[in-house]
Amino acid sequence: MKKRAETAVPGKTETEETAPEKGILHPEKPLADDERDAGLRPKTLKEFLGQTAMKDNLRVFITAAKERRESLDHLFLIGPPGLGKTTLAQVVARELDVDFKVTSAPALEKPKDLAGILTTVTEKTVFFIDEIHRLKPAIEEMLYIAMEDYELDWIIGQGPSARTIRIPVPPFTLVGATTKAGNVSSPLISRFGITCRFSFYEQQDMEAIIKRSAGILKTAIEGDAASMLAKSSRGTPRVANRLLRRMRDFSQVLRSPSITCAILEEGLKRLEIDTLGLERYDREILRMIIERYRGGPVGAETLAISVGETVDTLEDYYEPYLIQAGLLQRTPRGRMVTDYAYRHLNIPQTAASNENSGFLI
Ligand code: ADP
């Protein structure tokens, strides 16, 4: 049976280059270490921890497709960065025992880039497109036909003599991943038969992921320390793996036989990561809302300018976790910090900020 992983186009490069220069916790930015993450990446559904309901359904769809000897229906993966979308796509290919191809929407500049990949897919290949919300309209059009009819519309010639030919493509499974489902057009969404929505991982799943990774890295970590590290990992496996490697460095250099709570406290303090897994930059965003906008509401654009970020980066990478952690709220009037944010940052709530208390949780 064929089982081959290919990077069809160096798609992740553009993301890496355009990603903001931020701390180690921000999972959108692949770091050099992540490249060495291959060994940590789960290979089967069994190894893929957490996201149980989603995984159970997927197992049914995979089994059914295999029994019918058909390609799996197109799969739409939604969720913040670092939660396992790429990993799950690879796992699906492996479980189906088919080829895997990967690219990202920004790397598909011209229809010929997409055609170049689709003309090389084999039967039932899992073709993964990351950041699918960034597809160009002409490419999206081409993809519709490929997804629906397993054909490619190809224009030959120019001007009045131009004509379209249809090239058959073997039945394949498109796996589209996005951090911004709201930016994906409804015609594209409607062509996916299966949707998986990732949520931040539960504490116990994060602990299990950390223990699994520590085992693979041959690093001893005490139970309490794994639990503490899980709390600081933003419910995100990529962050957990990064922090684990840094804590392994601290324990090695501090000559500790294992990662202990004391090592973690020291390591996290040095990296300026707090107990909720916030880095300095996250705290700056919250402080900005409190100090300059009396706790909010403040519009996303104004806030983004104030903190020197793009709205996209703010919305995709910082806000989801701040909201999930109960520190920030999105309201129709803008972003607001919660009571909990004041307490976490140890900032007293003034009369001015209390004006908003009706909205605070
Ligand atoms: P995304 O594509 O959503 O940004 P990735 O699939 O690249 O995220 O996952 C980041 C890293 O986190 C992977 O390299 C893998 O080691 C780890 N990881 C992700 N999901 C899981 C999981 N469910 N169980 C264990 N490790 C995971």
Side-chain angles (χ1 to χ4, degrees):
M1 270 287 175
K2 287 169 231 128
K3 216 186 288 168
R4 179 161 44 95
E6 269 181 26
T7 303
V9 179
K12 292 235 161 185
T13 315
E14 185 169 334
T15 322
E16 282 167 37
E17 282 168 5
T18 52
E21 195 54 52
K22 289 286 140 37
I24 68 161
L25 292 195
H26 289 285
E28 82 283 9
K29 184 176 183 295
L31 299 176
D33 263 3
D34 293 332
E35 301 307 317
R36 281 185 258 145
D37 215 15
L40 300 184
R41 246 184 226 280
K43 295 190 176 50
T44 59
L45 272 181
K46 204 167 162 213
E47 285 175 15
F48 192 92
L49 303 165
Q51 312 287 344
T52 317
M54 178 177 99
K55 224 170 40 186
D56 288 348
N57 287 338
L58 209 46
R59 192 173 278 119
V60 172
F61 305 142
I62 289 173
T63 309
K66 274 176 99 168
E67 282 177 6
R68 288 196 303 265
R69 297 171 190 272
E70 286 175 3
S71 59
L72 181 72
D73 222 338
H74 303 302
L75 178 61
F76 189 33
L77 306 180
I78 305 168
L83 293 197
K85 298 183 293 300
T86 311
T87 307
L88 188 66
Q90 288 178 0
V91 163
V92 166
R94 188 173 273 260
E95 294 278 351
L96 289 166
D97 204 5
V98 297
D99 285 350
F100 180 69
K101 282 185 184 279
V102 55
T103 189
S104 83
L108 299 171
E109 286 189 354
K110 303 221 165 80
K112 75 170 168 40
D113 298 329
L114 178 63
I117 300 172
L118 286 178
T119 47
T120 61
V121 299
T122 53
E123 182 117 356
K124 304 187 196 132
T125 290
V126 168
F127 174 32
F128 177 66
I129 304 185
D130 205 4
E131 298 188 75
I132 198 147
H133 58 277
R134 294 174 66 184
L135 275 183
K136 297 198 171 58
I139 293 169
E140 202 170 308
E141 291 280 333
M142 188 180 228
L143 200 56
Y144 293 160
I145 300 166
M147 288 171 82
E148 224 162 54
D149 304 331
Y150 301 116
E151 282 181 342
L152 274 181
D153 261 357
W154 193 246
I155 301 168
I156 30 179
Q158 279 181 337
S161 64
R163 62 194 175 91
T164 306
I165 54 163
R166 284 210 154 185
I167 305 168
V169 173
F172 68 100
T173 300
L174 181 77
V175 180
T178 184
T179 50
K180 291 186 100 131
N183 288 13
V184 181
S185 71
S186 27
L188 182 55
I189 293 180
S190 68
R191 283 169 171 84
F192 287 103
I194 308 167
T195 298
C196 293
R197 207 175 274 274
F198 283 71
S199 26
F200 287 107
Y201 288 69
E202 305 285 338
Q203 168 73 13
Q204 69 197 52
D205 296 330
M206 291 301 293
E207 283 184 43
I209 289 171
I210 288 168
K211 286 177 183 161
R212 173 181 175 273
S213 297
I216 295 170
L217 294 172
K218 299 194 175 23
T219 298
I221 179 163
E222 289 183 355
D224 288 356
S227 149
M228 190 175 156
L229 189 56
K231 286 200 186 93
S232 297
S233 298
R234 307 171 77 100
T236 306
R238 181 177 292 145
V239 170
N241 287 341
R242 280 183 192 171
L243 280 182
L244 178 66
R245 278 191 298 261
R246 294 294 71 82
M247 297 307 128
R248 177 177 65 158
D249 294 343
F250 281 112
S251 77
Q252 183 186 322
V253 172
L254 297 172
R255 302 286 176 251
S256 170
S258 62
I259 300 176
T260 61
C261 286
I263 293 281
L264 270 186
E265 270 167 26
E266 176 65 19
L268 293 176
K269 196 169 96 196
R270 290 208 206 175
L271 295 174
E272 296 183 78
I273 295 164
D274 66 28
T275 47
L276 285 183
L278 304 193
E279 279 190 297
R280 191 153 47 125
Y281 200 77
D282 301 289
R283 293 189 291 270
E284 271 169 22
I285 292 173
L286 297 175
R287 258 202 201 100
M288 177 71 73
I289 304 176
I290 291 174
E291 285 164 9
R292 199 176 289 178
Y293 303 102
R294 297 174 179 179
V298 51
E301 286 186 11
T302 313
L303 181 60
I305 293 167
S306 307
V307 297
E309 268 308 345
T310 64
V311 176
D312 271 0
T313 305
L314 186 74
E315 288 185 340
D316 288 3
Y317 307 130
Y318 296 102
E319 285 188 353
Y321 182 70
L322 292 175
I323 292 171
Q324 148 85 16
L327 297 160
L328 189 72
Q329 272 186 314
R330 264 187 204 160
T331 74
R333 295 192 295 144
R335 276 53 174 169
M336 299 182 68
V337 294
T338 62
D339 277 349
Y340 184 34
Y342 282 89
R343 289 200 302 277
H344 182 66
L345 296 176
N346 218 357
I347 299 177
Q349 270 179 275
T350 61
S353 59
N354 281 336
E355 278 171 19
N356 298 319
S357 59
F359 292 89
L360 300 177
I361 53 171

